[in-house]
Amino acid sequence: MKKPNSEQPQLDKFKEAARELEADEDEARWEVRLKKVVKHKPAPEKPTDS
């Protein structure tokens, strides 16, 4: 991994590191992978009037 340049903005440093690690930049594939991991929160149960 290259030594980070202090003049380089944080976002550029992140992008460079991701490319060096061969990260996938395809947004569609990201969405598919994310949906495998993330679950929707169940709706809160409504209290019953007793």
Side-chain angles (χ1 to χ4, degrees):
M1 218 164 125
K2 293 181 186 176
K3 214 174 192 183
N5 181 355
S6 60
E7 299 285 323
Q8 192 177 21
Q10 182 74 27
L11 179 60
D12 291 340
K13 291 178 192 177
F14 176 81
K15 287 179 180 179
E16 183 179 324
R19 285 188 188 111
E20 287 178 8
L21 295 171
E22 299 178 10
D24 190 350
E25 295 183 34
D26 185 350
E27 192 171 334
R29 283 187 284 215
W30 163 254
E31 291 295 328
V32 169
R33 290 178 182 163
L34 182 63
K35 287 178 183 177
K36 288 181 181 178
V37 177
V38 176
K39 305 273 187 216
H40 288 282
K41 264 187 161 178
E45 291 185 28
K46 295 181 180 178
T48 56
D49 293 334
S50 302

